[in-house]
Amino acid sequence: MADFTDKPLPEINDLTRPFWTAAKEGRLVMQKCTHCDTVNFHPKPWCIECGSRDLQWTDIEPEGSVYSFTISRTVAMNFQGWQDELPVLFCLIDLDEGARMYAQVTHCNPDDIHIGMRVRAYFQPISDEAGIPIFRPS
Ligand SMILES: [Zn+2]
């Protein structure tokens, strides 16, 4: 694992595995409701809008804008991977296809980050099985 990251790894289960394995392949996938087209995030057994259980994992364009952000200058976790990157930009991203997700934004000066900033994901492998989407200004 140290070959990939010194950060905490996500707990992967049957519900979330498609998200992580797709990210390993450089794709962003989310559950899409076949009844109302709502994009679900986080993964759930039912649609967050209409309650349907007919959800299909779908490729999502990894592009959106910053909804909110925080600049962490002293991450309160003892993971070297975070310490090495301070200050870290943790953001809520509104994807163009409708979902809101948490993500880190990199390649951005903390003084330049702002609400509405256009960002696009790139993907970083974090284990043999999983990758993670990280965003940068587009
Ligand atoms: Zn629905």
Side-chain angles (χ1 to χ4, degrees):
M1 284 183 204
D3 290 348
F4 291 106
T5 177
D6 291 330
K7 296 173 187 169
L9 289 172
E11 195 172 303
I12 298 174
N13 58 40
D14 289 345
L15 186 63
T16 63
R17 184 167 288 108
F19 175 85
W20 300 111
T21 55
K24 174 89 178 188
E25 299 168 359
R27 296 182 302 124
L28 182 65
V29 299
M30 292 186 178
Q31 297 170 313
K32 196 166 191 175
C33 176
T34 59
H35 286 268
C36 74
D37 280 345
T38 295
V39 178
N40 252 11
F41 193 80
H42 302 283
K44 293 179 181 63
W46 54 81
C47 171
I48 54 174
E49 188 63 34
C50 76
S52 167
R53 289 179 176 265
D54 292 329
L55 304 170
Q56 196 150 33
W57 286 98
T58 307
D59 279 87
I60 299 292
E61 190 64 26
E63 185 134 12
S65 52
V66 173
Y67 171 79
S68 185
F69 64 89
T70 188
I71 303 170
S72 181
R73 299 180 191 278
T74 55
V75 175
M77 292 186 289
N78 291 320
F79 291 98
Q80 195 57 47
W82 292 120
Q83 302 288 342
D84 292 345
E85 290 182 24
L86 290 174
V88 176
L89 305 175
F90 293 112
C91 298
L92 285 171
I93 309 291
D94 275 349
L95 296 169
D96 292 343
E97 295 196 42
R100 179 172 293 161
M101 67 180 293
Y102 310 106
Q104 185 181 352
V105 170
T106 64
H107 301 80
C108 179
N109 187 311
D111 292 336
D112 294 335
I113 187 97
H114 58 271
I115 290 167
M117 174 182 262
R118 296 293 298 166
V119 290
R120 184 173 181 83
Y122 64 99
F123 297 86
Q124 197 170 75
I126 55 172
S127 74
D128 287 331
E129 179 182 25
I132 193 166
I134 300 171
F135 286 75
R136 64 198 297 174
S138 62

